[in-house]
């Protein structure tokens, strides 16, 4: 079954360029970092810090795209725009969707660790 | 057959607030043999570049504490840091920001996720530029005064030439071959080194730049690459000091039972063509043209008239009354169509 959560072409290219031995470290760093960033998004939302919210979403977008988590990256990009517009009415719901998608990204990435 | 040189490894700094991005860039660069350091925000990056040497900085734009724009502005406005190429690493949709960064002085950019082939190509290109700048900086240090070196670094290096109003000086040791034959090679080299040290001090003390040394002769320029007020007076005062220095040095030589040395100095003022000449690997700041030739001819002519310092009319006309000159009349110098008016300068003014 093709993995729709992680783009396999992107991930395979990454493996090719960086070397197989590098992948476990990369994936575990991504999992830790992203979990921490999602937590920070929550905090930024609670404190109504739209600039922080935007920047953190941008960071998640960037690293997620690198690992091939394209859909998740697109969701983060949506949050980035919400932060940029300072539109906190939508931020809560959008963040909830991102949090919902996160466990699936985690599970999908585990598959790529030998 | 073209010879493509593989650039040697560089010291790189990766600045990104996202640990995954740092890891990815770091891995890519380490695979190419570079030494990589990391900073997670702009403040930390700035602290690192101020205390450690780097060949390239890969800089993220959006960061907490201090963003990429601020870091870039501080780096490009710092004389000690502005030679380090900065490559921006940005998201694809941030191309507007890239334009802003290039305007601020960034060398290049890469979009994230970073393509390993592009990463290699851009880093190597920037490394080459950094090495060239380092070489030029070294050259300027050797051939120019501190002020000139600073000015060149501020205005950027240009190999192109231009016309400049300047005063040119030639100086060499009379009968040096005879002296060299009378002593050991080690003594000759020691003599030359003392001579050059004294001459450099007199010339740079009057804001001149020594740009050529050949055997026992040297060429200096006043008023280039940086404009210099009263360059004629400065050049002549430098020449007087050179003669005084040699006289003191001679007292020393004679007390050691050695032959005293004599120097001749020629000075001319006017338009010169100034610029860097040579190749990219080895270039010097040079001045050429009629004025420079005239100074060389005047230096040679000091032997004929038996005077240590000869100057042209353009130089004489700008001197203060404190400097005493003697009209030596019109002479026909080698390579000159017309006769020129020449003047000797008295040393004890």
């Amino acid at each position: 079954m093709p993995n729709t959560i992680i783009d396999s072409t992107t991930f395979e290219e990454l493996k090719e360029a960086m070397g197989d031995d590098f992948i476990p470290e990369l994936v575990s760093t991504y999992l830790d970092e992203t979990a921490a960033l999602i937590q920070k998004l929550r905090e930024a939302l609670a404190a109504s810090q739209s600039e922080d919210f935007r920047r953190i979403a941008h960071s998640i977008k960037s690293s997620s795209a690198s690992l091939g988590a394209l859909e998740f990256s697109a969701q983060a990009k949506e949050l980035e725009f919400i932060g940029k517009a300072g539109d906190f009415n939508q931020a809560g719901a959008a963040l909830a969707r991102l949090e919902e998608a996160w466990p699936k990204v985690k599970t999908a990435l585990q598959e790529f660790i030998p | 057959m073209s010879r493509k040189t593989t650039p040697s490894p560089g010291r790189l700094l990766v600045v990104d607030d996202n640990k995954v991005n740092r890891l990815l860039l770091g891995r890519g660069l380490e695979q190419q043999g570079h030494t990589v350091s990391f900073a997670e925000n702009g403040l930390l990056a700035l602290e690192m570049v101020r205390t450690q040497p780097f060949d390239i900085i890969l800089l993220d734009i959006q960061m907490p504490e201090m963003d990429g724009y601020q870091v870039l502005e501080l780096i490009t406005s710092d004389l000690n840091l502005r030679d380090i190429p900065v490559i921006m690493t940005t998201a694809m949709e941030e191309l507007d920001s890239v334009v802003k960064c290039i305007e601020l002085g960034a060398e290049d950019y890469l979009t994230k996720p970073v393509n390993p082939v592009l990463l290699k190509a851009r880093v190597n290109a920037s490394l080459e530029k950094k090495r060239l700048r380092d070489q030029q900086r070294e050259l300027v240090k050797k051939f120019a005064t501190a002020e000139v070196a600073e000015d060149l670094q501020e205005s950027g290096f240009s190999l192109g030439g231009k016309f400049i109003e300047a005063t040119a000086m030639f100086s060499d040791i009379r009968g040096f071959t005879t002296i060299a034959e009378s002593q050991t090679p080690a003594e000759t080299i020691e003599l030359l080194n003392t001579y050059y040290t004294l001459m450099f001090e007199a010339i740079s003390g009057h804001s001149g730049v020594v740009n050529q040394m050949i055997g026992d002769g040297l060429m200096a320029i006043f008023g280039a690459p940086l404009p210099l007020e009263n360059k004629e007076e400065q050049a002549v005062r430098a020449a007087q000091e050179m003669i005084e220095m040699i006289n003191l040095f001679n007292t020393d030589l004679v007390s050691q039972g050695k032959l005293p040395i004599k120097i001749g100095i020629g000075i001319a003022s006017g338009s010169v063509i100034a610029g860097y000449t040579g190749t990219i690997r080895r270039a010097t700041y040079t001045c050429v043209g009629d004025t420079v030739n005239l100074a060389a001819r005047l230096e040679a002519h000091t032997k004929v008239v038996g005077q240590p310092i000869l100057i042209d009319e353009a130089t004489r006309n700008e001197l203060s009354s404190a400097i005493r000159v003697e009209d030596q009349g019109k002479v026909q110098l080698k390579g000159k169509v017309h006769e020129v008016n020449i003047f000797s300068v008295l040393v004890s003014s």
Side-chain angles (χ1 to χ4, degrees):
Chain A
M1 194 187 91
N3 192 329
T4 53
I5 293 171
I6 302 298
D7 179 60
S8 53
T9 313
T10 308
F11 201 86
E12 287 306 320
E13 276 174 11
L14 195 64
K15 237 162 100 174
E16 174 101 0
M18 299 293 166
D20 285 4
D21 60 320
F22 180 63
I23 297 303
E25 187 191 355
L26 180 68
V27 169
S28 76
T29 304
Y30 171 78
L31 294 178
D32 291 349
E33 178 90 354
T34 309
L37 287 173
I38 292 172
Q39 179 58 37
K40 281 187 186 164
L41 272 181
R42 268 277 152 225
E43 290 163 17
L45 179 64
S48 297
Q49 297 281 354
S50 62
E51 173 55 25
D52 286 355
F53 191 86
R54 184 196 61 75
R55 203 194 59 244
I56 297 160
H58 173 87
S59 188
I60 295 174
K61 177 195 74 179
S62 167
S63 54
S64 300
S66 292
L67 271 84
L70 303 183
E71 229 181 280
F72 190 70
S73 174
Q75 277 183 292
K77 186 174 175 175
E78 201 184 318
L79 290 184
E80 185 185 354
F81 281 122
I82 289 170
K84 196 172 183 176
D87 185 3
F88 277 116
N89 291 327
Q90 290 186 47
L95 177 55
R97 282 197 297 277
L98 190 85
E99 286 170 330
E100 202 186 310
W102 175 237
K104 293 174 205 160
V105 174
K106 278 206 287 196
T107 312
L109 273 174
Q110 312 280 1
E111 277 181 36
F112 288 94
I113 306 178
Chain B
M1 196 184 86
S2 75
R3 196 168 56 92
K4 182 105 183 106
T5 52
T6 322
S8 44
R11 297 154 300 187
L12 277 60
L13 176 63
V14 169
V15 190
D16 202 307
D17 61 328
N18 190 300
K19 199 175 172 190
V20 173
N21 290 338
R22 292 200 298 274
L23 207 58
L24 280 169
L25 279 167
R27 175 77 171 192
L29 294 166
E30 276 164 2
Q31 280 177 333
Q32 291 164 30
H34 303 298
T35 308
V36 190
S37 304
F38 301 94
E40 60 192 61
N41 65 55
L43 265 185
L44 196 61
L46 214 56
E47 203 181 292
M48 288 173 78
V49 294
R50 281 176 177 155
T51 52
Q52 301 166 40
F54 289 105
D55 296 314
I56 295 183
I57 301 163
L58 285 106
L59 184 62
D60 181 27
I61 298 178
Q62 312 219 7
M63 290 180 293
E65 304 292 335
M66 184 187 277
D67 68 18
Y69 297 123
Q70 291 169 286
V71 178
L72 183 62
E73 272 193 293
L74 287 165
I75 287 173
T76 53
S77 62
D78 187 325
L79 263 184
N80 295 314
L81 303 177
R82 56 181 295 164
D83 282 351
I84 309 173
V86 178
I87 300 176
M88 306 307 297
T89 57
T90 67
M92 190 67 88
E93 68 273 12
E94 286 179 311
L95 283 182
D96 284 356
S97 323
V98 168
V99 174
K100 186 173 162 188
C101 291
I102 301 284
E103 282 167 359
L104 283 172
E107 188 79 45
D108 211 337
Y109 73 98
L110 283 162
T111 53
K112 285 185 278 200
V114 172
N115 174 307
V117 179
L118 270 183
L119 176 67
K120 187 174 182 175
R122 301 229 162 126
V123 164
N124 284 346
S126 288
L127 264 183
E128 269 305 301
K129 280 181 201 158
K130 171 66 166 38
R131 300 227 158 91
L132 182 58
R133 284 174 204 164
D134 286 349
Q135 279 174 358
Q136 285 174 326
R137 191 191 273 262
E138 276 309 302
L139 269 171
V140 168
K141 259 191 210 156
K142 272 178 207 156
F143 284 95
T145 62
E147 294 95 324
V148 170
E150 195 170 289
D151 175 70
L152 285 175
Q153 267 151 29
E154 249 168 55
S155 59
F157 293 96
S158 151
L159 287 165
K162 54 179 176 182
F163 280 109
I164 290 178
E165 288 301 311
T167 297
M169 169 199 279
F170 275 82
S171 156
D172 83 353
I173 302 179
R174 295 276 158 266
F176 189 69
T177 316
T178 317
I179 297 171
E181 281 165 358
S182 75
Q183 55 189 21
T184 66
E187 282 175 321
T188 301
I189 295 300
E190 196 196 325
L191 174 70
L192 275 179
N193 285 338
T194 310
Y195 159 73
Y196 274 129
T197 305
L198 295 173
M199 299 303 97
F200 265 65
E201 217 162 278
I203 291 164
S204 57
H206 289 89
S207 310
V209 179
V210 176
N211 57 354
Q212 275 189 43
M213 288 181 281
I214 306 150
D216 58 316
L218 63 81
M219 174 188 166
I221 201 87
F222 295 76
L226 267 189
L228 175 66
E229 230 177 280
N230 60 11
K231 52 192 183 303
E232 298 86 359
E233 175 108 1
Q234 295 277 34
V236 170
R237 286 194 181 275
Q240 289 177 317
E241 195 176 313
M242 286 158 76
I243 301 293
E244 282 164 16
M245 292 271 201
I246 292 296
N247 288 342
L248 282 174
F249 183 40
N250 279 340
T251 316
D252 206 34
L253 286 174
V254 171
S255 73
Q256 294 172 51
K258 290 177 182 166
L259 287 172
I261 58 172
K262 265 189 173 174
I263 64 168
I265 301 168
I267 296 169
S269 302
S271 189
V272 301
I273 298 162
Y276 285 92
T277 57
T279 68
I280 270 170
R281 292 203 179 277
R282 186 175 164 81
T284 56
Y285 187 77
T286 315
C287 294
V288 291
D290 274 354
T291 304
V292 178
N293 291 341
L294 180 56
R297 299 293 177 212
L298 287 169
E299 183 264 308
H301 200 69
T302 57
K303 284 175 255 188
V304 181
V305 293
Q307 293 284 341
I309 306 170
L310 285 181
I311 63 175
D312 71 338
E313 194 164 7
T315 305
R316 207 268 334 235
N317 291 345
E318 299 300 322
L319 296 182
S320 71
S321 56
I323 292 176
R324 282 154 54 214
V325 297
E326 234 167 55
D327 195 335
Q328 297 286 332
K330 280 186 188 299
V331 292
Q332 181 67 54
L333 294 173
K334 204 173 145 192
K336 294 278 157 201
V337 181
H338 303 290
E339 290 191 324
V340 289
N341 243 335
I342 64 169
F343 303 84
S344 61
V345 176
L346 301 179
V347 174
S348 50
S349 64

